[in-house]
Each structure stands twice: as C-alpha cells, then as structure tokens.
Amino acid sequence: MNIPGVHVEILRVTAKPFAEQVQFLSIGERSELARISHLISQQIFVAGRLAAKQLLASVFPSKVPSDINIRTRNSMRQGINPLVEVDGELWDGSLSISHTSQWAAAAIIGNSGQRVGIDVACVELRPASFARAWFSAVEHDVLQLGDSTNVAMSWAAKEAAYKALNQGEHFCPQDMLVRQVHASSKTILNVSWGAAHCRVHILRHGDHVVAVANTSQFTLATKSA
C-alpha cells in the first residue's frame, strides 16, 4: 500500500504461546494485557502492539520495544485514539491499530500535522439489514452494496475515516457518506463527514480488506468549524 508518508504493518494473530512476544510490551501494556481474560483477545492485543512497534522501531531506533508505551484507554477506561509515550513524553506523530480475530494491522504517520486511521475487515456474507442500517440509499446505489466485498470495503472505509477524523465524537456511521473515486487493484474511496472529507486507500489482503485514511490538521479544523 503506497500512501506518501504512511507506513503500514499487518501481522497474523497467532494461536501459539506468545511468552516471547510479551517481552516487547511496556509495563503499562502488560498491565492492560492482565485485564484481558480471554486468550484470543490477549493474542489480538499482543499482535496489534507488535504490529505498531515494528513500525515505531524506525521512529525510535535507539529504543527497545518495551521502552515504548501505547495507550488506547483513558483514565475512565474508555477507548481513545492510540497515544505513544517514550520516556514520559508523547510522540507528536499519529498511530492507528485495528484487528479481526485473524489479522492485526497498524499504521503510522510521523508528520505532526496529519492523522492516520486504519481498519481491517473480513469479507464475509452479512445480512441485508446490516447494509440497510449503516448505509444511505445513495451509498447503496453508488457502492453496489449487494456485494460482500463492497460492503466490507465501505464499512472499513468509514471506520478508518472515523479514526483519522474524530475529535472525541462517538462513531455514527450514518453521519458519513462514502463515494467511490477510483476502482482498480488500488481502490480509493472518498468519505465525507460533515464539512470534512478524506480519501481512504483500500488493500485486499486475502479474505480481508485493509482501509487506511489520513488527514491534515486543516481538515480537522474544517470539520470542527
């Protein structure tokens, strides 16, 4: 996936013991992992952190992975956009993490004036009620949502755009409008959310799709204006 300034890593969620992988977690991340009771959820958490830290290794080459702390919850235990802490300082770049039960994906952008969002989704048969509930009539016509691949791509695009654009708002996919810009081996979708717009690059990854959105602080200011 060639997006200027954006780096992406995709890792398989493994069912094997991950004792060696856990050593890459920070103290805070190990504490967060200890709160997770289900094995598959633990494996997903670890895979997501590993994908992110493989990318962050190029940003912090002098640090070992356990020196890098990634927070995805606030003090109220609510989910937040990932925050990267190194030696008590917040990194001014942008990180996004997503997963299914099979794959974990991460994306980073080092430009402090931009934000990135990533989402990975399985291409699978969903009930017609899913598309009717979360997509408008206009989207049904333009995106051909009778096709399961198109549904997965369009849903992942909304998730990725939300991660790149949100400033604390709840995820309301009905408020977003997805339009197709270019269809080829490298599909690009355009997502509108109020006055803000961003392009979302789609990559087919086996029976999954990966959506990556990035946006500028100017776009965020336009959205909140």
Side-chain angles (χ1 to χ4, degrees):
M1 183 176 287
N2 185 18
I3 309 172
V6 179
H7 301 278
V8 175
E9 183 71 38
I10 305 171
L11 295 179
R12 182 176 289 279
V13 176
T14 178
K16 298 178 182 179
F18 51 86
E20 292 184 4
Q21 297 175 330
V22 174
Q23 68 180 326
F24 293 104
L25 300 180
S26 68
I27 293 175
E29 291 166 334
R30 294 185 191 196
S31 177
E32 185 66 29
L33 178 64
R35 294 174 177 268
I36 303 173
S37 57
H38 295 95
L39 178 60
I40 185 61
S41 297
Q42 293 174 343
Q43 293 162 345
I44 288 170
F45 176 90
V46 170
R49 289 305 194 275
L50 286 177
K53 293 196 177 187
Q54 287 190 14
L55 294 173
L56 291 167
S58 63
V59 181
F60 304 102
S62 65
K63 299 295 181 181
V64 298
S66 59
D67 288 337
I68 301 171
N69 183 53
I70 300 171
R71 286 198 291 121
T72 52
R73 294 191 180 277
N74 61 20
S75 60
M76 303 295 292
R77 305 290 306 154
Q78 299 167 323
I80 57 173
N81 287 334
L83 297 175
V84 178
E85 300 172 324
V86 179
D87 297 331
E89 298 291 331
L90 283 178
W91 178 51
D92 62 359
S94 178
L95 164 69
S96 184
I97 302 173
S98 180
H99 60 76
T100 66
S101 62
Q102 300 176 53
W103 295 99
I108 64 169
I109 188 165
N111 187 333
S112 61
Q114 293 185 288
R115 293 238 316 252
V116 68
I118 192 168
D119 190 69
V120 56
C122 182
V123 177
E124 58 187 357
L125 185 64
R126 292 177 170 87
S129 58
F130 177 87
R132 287 198 301 268
W134 302 115
F135 295 95
S136 68
V138 171
E139 289 172 314
H140 274 268
D141 292 340
V142 172
L143 302 172
Q144 301 178 9
L145 295 179
D147 180 88
S148 58
T149 299
N150 291 345
V151 172
M153 290 193 302
S154 302
W155 178 255
K158 289 195 177 190
E159 291 264 16
Y162 167 75
K163 292 176 182 179
L165 288 169
N166 90 85
Q167 295 173 293
E169 305 95 330
H170 292 295
F171 181 44
C172 296
Q174 302 98 326
D175 294 339
M176 296 178 171
L177 179 64
V178 181
R179 296 184 185 275
Q180 188 163 321
V181 175
H182 178 67
S184 67
S185 59
K186 295 181 179 179
T187 299
I188 299 175
L189 300 177
N190 186 68
V191 180
S192 302
W193 188 9
H197 305 268
C198 70
R199 285 196 169 188
V200 182
H201 294 249
I202 307 291
L203 169 71
R204 186 66 188 259
H205 190 77
D207 61 353
H208 284 63
V209 295
V210 180
V212 180
N214 69 299
T215 188
S216 66
Q217 293 295 344
F218 173 79
T219 302
L220 296 174
T222 301
K223 173 176 169 291
S224 62

